[in-house]
Amino acid sequence: MHTITDKVSITSVLNPNMRMFDVVMCTEYGSSYNSYVVAGTDKTALIDANHATFASEWLEKVAEALDGRKPDYLVLNHTEPDHSGAVAACLKRYPEIVLVCSAAAAINIKEITNLSALEPQVVKDGDSLDLGELTLRFISAPFLHWPDTMFTWIPEQKLLFSCDFLGAHFCEPRLFDHRIVFARDYTTAFKEYYDAIMAPFGPWVAKGLDKLEALDPEVVAPSHGPILTKRGRLATGIEHYRAWSAPPAADAPRKISLFYCSAYGNTKKLAASIATGIRNALPDAQVCAHDLVDANVNCMGAELNSSDAFLLGSPTLNRDAVPPVWNLVAEIDAVNIAKRPVAFFGSYGWSGEALPALSERLATLKAAVYEPQFRVRFVPSEDDLVAAEEFGAGFARGLVAGAS
Ligand SMILES: Cc1cc2nc3c(=O)[nH]c(=O)nc-3n(C[C@H](O)[C@H](O)[C@H](O)COP(=O)(O)O)c2cc1C
Ligand SMILES: [Fe+2]
Ligand SMILES: [Fe+2]
């Protein structure tokens, strides 16, 4: 049995083969569903449950960690099913166990288990539970990344259970940061996790960091990936979260990104001319054009979501925009996209449905849709490319006018 301290055991389940999380997030390095058992002199508590698929494996580990004692509490820091799926099995095994969670989580868990009679012990920010020589203190951490999220803190051990915060989909059998072998892969996974899960909630991340730093933990045990320690990667993780969640500096160059696909190079030519037009109109802007065909869609999504304005280019194939462009649209951070300027361009042959379809979708997401769309029949002529440049310049000038 792995432990963090003599009073805290690790009951995590490794899932090295997972390649996709929550349907949308690619997980090249697998993951772990972390959970812990805390043993006070009087009472014991489980911190987080597990994915339903791994209920029996997790419960076996829990029984081993409890070493004959009964579990008094099951703390749910968050009710997403990767952590709450095994709650029903846990209640079946230990009918006396008391669920401890936030008010929002208490509502969710009834719907997740379909046990309407469930009466969790609801805790607020600052509440605590005495386990005997060990205290669990609960710290509200909403939107990291659900409204229900909280952290659990053991002051006597300077140990924080941070839920998904500072986690990573990275299956690390050695469990701790200082034992990571493939450090560069972990860094990639840590960033990808932030982008996919935490990035929409930047201001909440900053608040979460404030609370975490005020505690000055020795150990942060997240619900996925390696446990972070003060002498290991904790400070670096905090530093990264600070940088990634910070609003852009007022004098930062405006970031304008173009994303396109092109079967025969026509939309690609338009992208190049439009980018030139934008650069001419806004020489200080950071302008980058991305061909989506061979790109990693999660990375492109992060690029798009961090852009001040963006353009989508697609040919029309079989009366629609092409799949890589739609896949990118699916990566858009709908929580924060409102009012973001977006324009559309592309080549078509006869009916040209791609751009209206994209425009309609972005309007639904409440982005600031730029009109007109720029479309060219088949191969762009020299005149078309000049017009494309002018289109890019017009879009760029609109950004300046919009901002002033
Ligand atoms: C398989 C296929 C289906 C197409 N379907 C349509 C269509 O439904 N409507 C249309 O306007 N053009 C259609 N086109 C024409 C393309 O939009 C046109 O060739 C365009 O110039 C391709 O631009 P690209 O080189 O940027 O990919 C189709 C082309 C292909 C290859
Ligand atoms: Fe989650
Ligand atoms: Fe999670």
Side-chain angles (χ1 to χ4, degrees), residues 45-198:
L46 318 185
I47 308 292
D48 287 322
N50 219 280
H51 196 289
T53 311
F54 301 106
S56 1
E57 188 178 341
W58 168 63
L59 285 170
E60 264 173 44
K61 290 182 180 224
V62 166
E64 192 191 338
L66 287 167
D67 195 23
R69 293 181 70 180
K70 71 176 180 54
D72 296 289
Y73 301 107
L74 169 56
V75 175
L76 301 174
N77 281 325
H78 168 43
T79 52
E80 188 171 354
D82 55 334
H83 309 293
S84 69
V87 168
C90 181
L91 289 168
K92 217 168 180 182
R93 173 85 56 98
Y94 303 113
E96 308 285 298
I97 201 166
V98 175
L99 301 191
V100 179
C101 62
S102 68
I107 296 167
N108 294 352
I109 198 64
K110 288 184 197 185
E111 304 291 349
I112 287 168
T113 57
N114 284 327
L115 297 170
S116 51
L118 216 54
E119 286 298 340
Q121 182 170 331
V122 170
V123 288
K124 298 188 300 299
D125 187 51
D127 283 357
S128 54
L129 269 183
D130 184 2
L131 302 183
E133 293 175 23
L134 275 187
T135 316
L136 298 182
R137 192 183 316 145
F138 305 103
I139 295 160
S140 170
F143 297 103
L144 297 174
H145 59 119
W146 275 16
D148 64 350
T149 310
M150 64 179 191
F151 301 153
T152 298
W153 169 239
I154 305 184
E156 295 85 354
Q157 312 232 309
K158 295 194 79 63
L159 166 52
L160 183 75
F161 300 104
S162 64
C163 193
D164 289 328
F165 199 64
L166 295 169
H169 284 316
F170 187 79
C171 183
E172 177 46 72
R174 294 157 202 86
L175 304 171
F176 285 90
D177 55 1
H178 50 87
R179 306 189 68 195
I180 293 172
V181 175
F182 300 102
R184 195 182 302 171
D185 292 343
Y186 169 68
T187 307
T188 304
F190 188 77
K191 172 76 164 96
E192 285 175 354
Y193 190 83
Y194 180 89
D195 287 341
I197 307 291
M198 297 295 162

Side-chain angles (χ1 to χ4, degrees), residues 345-385:
F345 63 94
S347 171
Y348 72 109
W350 47 94
S351 52
E353 289 89 346
L355 306 191
L358 289 168
S359 169
E360 196 178 317
R361 175 73 186 123
L362 270 290
T364 306
L365 290 171
K366 302 204 167 23
V369 169
Y370 180 79
E371 299 281 358
Q373 300 145 4
F374 189 80
R375 41 182 222 163
V376 165
R377 266 187 121 141
F378 288 112
V379 179
S381 66
E382 283 306 315
D383 285 352
D384 289 329
L385 294 178

Side-chain angles (χ1 to χ4, degrees), residues 3-5 8 10 34 36 151-163 165-166 175-178 212 215-222 225-235 238:
T3 57
I4 301 181
T5 66
V8 180
I10 304 170
N34 298 347
Y36 308 90
F151 301 153
T152 298
W153 169 239
I154 305 184
E156 295 85 354
Q157 312 232 309
K158 295 194 79 63
L159 166 52
L160 183 75
F161 300 104
S162 64
C163 193
F165 199 64
L166 295 169
L175 304 171
F176 285 90
D177 55 1
H178 50 87
L212 184 145
L215 299 169
D216 190 23
E218 290 290 330
V219 180
V220 170
I227 293 165
L228 303 177
T229 57
K230 206 169 191 174
R231 289 166 60 191
R233 291 168 178 269
L234 178 56
I238 292 173

Side-chain angles (χ1 to χ4, degrees), residues 261-268 315-320 347-353 378-379:
C261 265
S262 192
Y264 291 99
N266 297 321
T267 304
K268 185 184 179 101
T316 296
L317 261 59
N318 296 330
R319 309 190 65 172
D320 200 358
S347 171
Y348 72 109
W350 47 94
S351 52
E353 289 89 346
F378 288 112
V379 179

